[in-house]
C-alpha cells in the first residue's frame, strides 16, 4: 500500500486501527523528501528529529480521535512557529527564530498534526513564481523547467509530490490559488478574517488570508474546521460560528446556480485552459447545476487597484524590518539613518524594494487621494458588483489563471507580465470573499489546469460542497507527477 497517496480520512482510519503508526508515516514522508526535494526544492527547512519525536509521543498516547492527529504537514516560510527558523525567504530574516507561534499553527499542533518543515515562497510572498526566494526557485513537479507558481510554490509542490499531506499558505492576491492551479493541487483562499493572521508575516494587511493547500476539497474541509474561527489576537476575525465543513459536503448540487462572469471569458486565455473550463462547466451542468451569465464590469480595473493597495500596505508593513526591531542589523553603519539604509539595502531583494518605493510614493503627502483613496473607492464598487451578482447566483466560476505553468525565467525581467498571471485571482482578495482553485484538466503536454469557485463572504461550506461534488465525479485532483 502506498500510504503517501492516501487522503486524511483514510490515513486516520489506518492510524486508529493501528495498521500504521504515526512514526512510520512521518518516516515515509521524510525519506521521500530526502529523495526528491533535491530536484524540486520545495523545502526551506526540514525538522526530521522534531517530527519523529512528536510522532513517537503521539503513538504512545494512541488517541487518533482528531482526524489531524499524527498527520504530517508543512508551512509556508512566512508562518512563525518555534520548531524552526522562519525567513520569509528573505536575506533580512535569514536565521530568524520566532519567539512565538502563529495561532493557526498552534491550533494544528494542538490537534496533533506534525510540522515536517517550512516551504519555499517568493520573498515576503511578493511574486508569482518563487523566483525571488533566497533559497532559489521551486521547480514544477510536472515539468522541472517550469515554475511551480507563487508565492506558495513550495507548499503546493510539496503537496502534489506527496512530500506532505497538506500545507498552509497565504493568499494576498492569489498566492494559494495560482500555484495550486499550476501544479494541480486544491487550494482555498478563505473569507477575509475566517482564519487568524496572528503570527504570520504580513504583506498587505487588508488583503492577506491564510488557508490550506491539499489534495482534495474533502481534506480542505477537515483542515479548515480546525484552523478557522475568532482569535482575540487578531481583531479582524469576527465571531462567526465555524461549521462542521465535512457535514456540509453532501453530493448534491441540483438547482445550484453557477455564475460565469462574461469579463473573465475573453481573448488572451490559453486555448487548452478555455476548453478544460468549458468541459468542467458541462460536467457541472450534468450534475444538475444551472449556468447563468453574470457581469462584473469593474474587472478591468482589478490589477491596477490591487497593485496600488498592495504596494502601499507593503511599504508600511516592511517598515518594521529596520535592523533594530526585526532584521539582520548592519555592522558597519555610521549613524542611525545609515544603519537603516545599510540593513534594508542589503536585506531586501529587488521586488520587495520595488514595492516599497511605489508604496512610499503613492503614500506621500498629497498623493493619497490620487491613488490609494481612489483605489479603495473602486474596490468598494467591485464589492457592490459581486454582492449584486450573488443575488442571482450561488457561486461564480472562472479559470484560476489565463495560462498554465510558464518557463523558469520567462517572466522575471518583466514585472507587468508577471503581474498579469494574477488577473483572475486578485478580485477575491479585494472583495474579501472565499475562493477555491481545483484541478480541472491537463494540457496535451501534461500540465495541470485549474478552475476557481468563488462564493459570498463566509460561504466556504458552499464552495467546498461544489468542489467536492465535482471531484467525486472526476479524477484530475488524483493525478500525481512522476518525479
Ligand atoms: N502574485 C501576487 C503578488 O505578487 C500575489 C501575492 C500573494 O498572494 N502573496 O502580489
Amino acid at each position: 500500500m502506498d500510504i503517501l497517496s492516501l487522503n486524511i480520512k483514510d490515513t486516520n482510519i489506518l492510524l486508529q486501527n493501528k495498521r500504521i503508526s504515526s512514526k512510520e508515516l512521518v518516516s515515509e514522508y521524510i525519506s521521500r523528501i530526502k529523495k526528491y526535494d533535491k530536484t524540486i526544492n520545495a523545502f526551506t527547512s526540514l525538522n526530521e528529529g522534531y517530527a519523529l519525536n512528536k510522532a513517537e509521543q503521539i503513538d504512545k498516547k494512541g488517541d487518533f480521535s482528531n482526524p489531524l492527529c499524527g498527520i504530517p504537514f508543512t508551512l509556508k516560510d512566512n508562518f512563525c512557529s518555534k520548531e524552526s527558523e522562519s525567513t520569509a525567504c528573505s536575506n533580512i530574516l535569514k536565521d530568524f527564530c520566532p519567539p512565538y507561534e502563529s495561532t493557526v499553527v498552534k491550533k494544528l499542533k494542538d490537534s496533533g498534526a506534525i510540522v515536517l518543515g517550512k516551504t519555499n515562497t517568493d520573498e515576503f510572498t511578493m511574486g508569482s513564481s518563487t523566483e525571488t526566494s533566497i533559497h532559489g526557485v521551486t521547480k514544477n513537479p510536472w515539468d522541472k523547467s517550469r515554475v511551480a507558481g507563487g508565492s506558495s510554490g513550495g507548499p503546493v509542490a510539496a503537496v502534489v509530490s506527496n512530500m506532505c499531506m497538506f500545507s498552509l499558505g497565504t493568499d494576498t492576491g492569489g498566492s494559494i490559488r495560482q500555484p495550486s492551479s499550476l501544479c494541480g493541487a486544491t487550494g482555498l483562499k478563505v473569507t477575509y478574517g475566517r482564519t487568524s493572521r496572528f503570527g504570520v508575516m504580513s504583506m498587505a494587511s487588508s488583503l492577506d488570508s491564510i488557508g490550506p493547500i491539499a489534495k482534495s476539497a474533502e481534506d480542505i474541509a477537515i483542515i479548515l474546521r480546525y484552523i478557522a474561527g475568532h482569535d482575540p489576537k487578531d481583531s479582524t476575525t469576527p465571531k462567526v460560528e465555524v461549521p462542521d465543513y465535512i457535514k456540509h459536503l453532501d453530493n448534491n448540487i441540483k438547482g445550484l446556480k453557477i455564475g460565469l462572469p462574461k469579463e473573465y471569458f475573453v481573448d488572451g486565455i490559453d486555448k487548452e485552459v478555455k476548453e478544460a473550463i468549458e468541459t468542467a462547466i458541462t460536467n457541472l451542468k450534468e450534475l444538475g447545476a444551472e449556468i447563468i451569465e453574470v457581469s462584473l464590469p469593474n474587472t478591468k480595473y482589478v490589477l491596477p487597484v490591487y497593485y496600488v493597495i498592495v504596494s502601499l500596505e507593503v511599504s508600511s508593513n516592511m517598515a518594521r524590518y529596520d535592523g533594530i526591531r526585526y532584521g539582520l542589523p548592519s555592522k558597519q553603519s555610521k549613524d542611525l539613518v545609515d544603519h537603516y539604509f545599510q540593513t534594508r539595502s542589503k536585506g531586501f531583494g529587488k521586488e520587495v524594494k520595488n514595492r516599497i518605493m511605489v508604496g512610499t510614493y503613492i503614500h506621500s503627502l498629497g498623493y493619497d487621494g490620487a491613488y490609494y483613496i481612489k483605489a479603495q473607492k473602486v474596490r468598494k464598487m467591485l464589492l457592490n458588483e459581486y454582492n449584486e451578482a450573488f443575488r442571482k447566483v450561488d457561486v461564480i466560476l472562472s479559470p484560476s489563471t489565463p495560462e498554465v505553468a510558464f518557463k523558469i525565467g520567462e517572466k522575471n525581467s518583466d514585472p507587468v507580465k508577471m503581474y498579469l498571471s494574477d488577473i483572475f485571482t486578485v478580485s477575491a482578495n479585494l472583495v474579501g470573499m472565499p475562493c477555491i482553485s481545483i484541478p480541472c484538466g491537463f494540457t496535451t503536454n501534461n500540465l495541470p489546469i485549474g478552475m476557481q469557485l468563488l462564493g459570498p463572504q463566509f460561504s466556504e461550506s458552499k464552495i467546498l460542497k461544489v468542489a467536492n461534488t465535482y471531484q467525486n465525479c472526476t479524477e484530475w485532483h488524483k493525478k500525481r507527477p512522476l518525479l
Side-chain angles (χ1 to χ4, degrees):
M1 182 181 34
D2 176 14
I3 52 173
L4 302 190
S5 58
L6 297 177
N7 62 18
I8 295 179
K9 198 166 83 189
D10 292 339
T11 309
N12 178 252
I13 294 172
L14 294 183
L15 288 166
Q16 293 223 31
N17 297 341
K18 311 270 181 281
R19 300 247 321 269
I20 53 164
S21 67
S22 173
K23 194 170 175 191
E24 276 163 351
L25 188 64
V26 167
S27 311
E28 286 271 335
Y29 274 108
I30 288 175
S31 329
R32 189 165 171 88
I33 295 163
K34 284 187 174 165
K35 188 159 169 204
Y36 292 113
D37 201 46
K38 284 188 219 76
T39 45
I40 303 294
N41 196 33
F43 282 74
T44 55
S45 62
L46 178 64
N47 316 319
E48 184 171 355
Y50 164 89
L52 288 168
N53 224 327
K54 278 276 164 229
E56 237 172 64
Q57 290 169 16
I58 284 168
D59 286 331
K60 245 185 224 150
K61 268 202 196 148
D63 175 7
F64 293 98
S65 50
N66 185 313
L68 294 179
C69 191
I71 299 288
F73 73 105
T74 58
L75 292 167
K76 187 172 176 176
D77 202 357
N78 62 335
F79 284 75
C80 290
S81 67
K82 283 185 178 166
E83 73 298 323
S84 67
E85 63 274 24
S86 302
T87 71
C89 297
S90 176
N91 237 334
I92 210 158
L93 283 185
K94 216 166 134 210
D95 308 322
F96 171 65
C97 290
Y100 60 91
E101 294 208 301
S102 50
T103 300
V104 283
V105 175
K106 185 171 179 310
K107 284 184 169 187
L108 287 176
K109 286 185 174 174
D110 289 348
S111 300
I114 301 172
V115 197
L116 284 178
K118 299 232 167 83
T119 43
N120 208 11
T121 162
D122 281 289
E123 184 180 4
F124 282 105
T125 79
M126 296 172 209
S128 310
S129 63
T130 75
E131 286 165 293
T132 70
S133 163
I134 48 157
H135 303 284
V137 65
T138 296
K139 316 265 170 51
N140 191 306
W142 293 93
D143 175 348
K144 296 176 198 80
S145 68
R146 293 174 190 269
V147 299
S151 61
S152 313
V156 169
V159 169
V160 299
S161 306
N162 282 345
M163 295 197 278
C164 60
M165 182 73 91
F166 70 90
S167 194
L168 286 189
T170 54
D171 192 314
T172 302
S175 273
I176 287 177
R177 292 160 289 146
Q178 185 259 22
S180 291
S181 173
L182 269 41
C183 292
T186 301
L188 175 71
K189 176 237 168 272
V190 297
T191 304
Y192 182 75
R194 179 73 291 191
T195 47
S196 167
R197 291 177 294 118
F198 177 78
V200 182
M201 294 170 200
S202 307
M203 176 177 164
S205 305
S206 77
L207 301 159
D208 293 344
S209 66
I210 283 141
I213 296 155
K215 295 171 193 171
S216 66
E218 187 193 61
D219 280 3
I220 293 218
I222 298 174
I223 304 155
L224 189 60
R225 171 101 171 106
Y226 292 94
I227 60 169
H230 170 69
D231 177 11
K233 290 177 180 152
D234 177 356
S235 60
T236 62
T237 53
K239 287 185 177 150
V240 174
E241 194 210 336
V242 179
D244 183 347
Y245 295 104
I246 280 285
K247 276 204 182 134
H248 293 88
L249 282 183
D250 64 33
N251 232 337
N252 185 2
I253 57 162
K254 278 205 180 67
L256 183 109
K257 294 187 173 76
I258 299 182
L260 301 183
K262 62 175 183 216
E263 293 78 5
Y264 278 66
F265 291 87
V266 286
D267 292 347
I269 303 179
D270 179 288
K271 192 170 150 279
E272 289 187 275
V273 171
K274 210 165 159 219
E275 282 166 9
I277 298 289
E278 281 164 2
T279 311
I281 294 170
T282 310
N283 295 153
L284 289 162
K285 249 195 225 165
E286 285 161 4
L287 290 164
E290 194 185 325
I291 308 294
I292 297 169
E293 189 183 80
V294 293
S295 176
L296 302 164
N298 278 305
T299 298
K300 56 181 178 289
Y301 301 123
V302 295
L303 271 186
V305 165
Y306 170 78
Y307 276 96
V308 165
I309 295 173
V310 107
S311 306
L312 185 139
E313 295 185 11
V314 159
S315 78
S316 152
N317 275 324
M318 292 297 122
R320 75 194 66 174
Y321 304 102
D322 55 10
I324 293 172
R325 286 171 293 176
Y326 292 99
L328 277 183
S330 151
K331 295 206 176 76
Q332 294 116 19
S333 38
K334 295 193 292 281
D335 52 34
L336 186 63
V337 173
D338 188 47
H339 177 86
Y340 292 153
F341 187 78
Q342 300 260 6
T343 302
R344 290 165 67 83
S345 313
K346 286 191 195 121
F348 290 134
K350 197 165 147 238
E351 182 59 26
V352 176
K353 284 179 187 162
N354 275 351
R355 299 204 193 193
I356 294 174
M357 284 191 288
V358 173
T360 308
Y361 172 78
I362 60 182
H363 195 34
S364 48
L365 195 64
Y367 283 97
D368 275 4
Y371 300 110
Y372 189 67
I373 294 173
K374 209 176 207 169
Q376 290 288 23
K377 284 183 181 162
V378 182
R379 185 179 185 180
K380 180 72 179 61
M381 284 160 67
L382 195 69
L383 177 65
N384 293 344
E385 253 171 48
Y386 272 81
N387 284 334
E388 191 55 41
F390 284 123
R391 277 190 237 277
K392 294 190 213 116
V393 297
D394 297 294
V395 298
I396 290 176
L397 183 153
S398 70
S400 302
T401 54
E403 52 177 25
V404 292
F406 44 90
K407 291 269 183 193
I408 292 171
E410 189 183 319
K411 295 185 199 261
N412 62 4
S413 56
D414 184 346
V416 176
K417 256 193 183 168
M418 189 71 90
Y419 297 169
L420 277 169
S421 68
D422 302 327
I423 184 96
F424 295 149
T425 51
V426 295
S427 296
N429 302 79
L430 291 171
V431 298
M433 292 178 181
C435 188
I436 193 166
S437 176
I438 59 175
C440 69
F442 277 75
T443 60
T444 39
N445 56 348
N446 212 25
L447 293 170
I449 299 170
M451 72 165 161
Q452 290 189 122
L453 297 162
L454 176 133
Q457 286 169 1
F458 296 99
S459 69
E460 278 82 357
S461 288
K462 200 185 282 176
I463 57 172
L464 283 167
K465 167 184 157 149
V466 185
N468 181 57
T469 308
Y470 176 80
Q471 291 188 332
N472 280 343
C473 71
T474 52
E475 298 284 313
W476 305 118
H477 63 293
K478 292 190 185 147
K479 292 198 178 282
R480 293 284 158 262
L482 265 182
L483 301 182

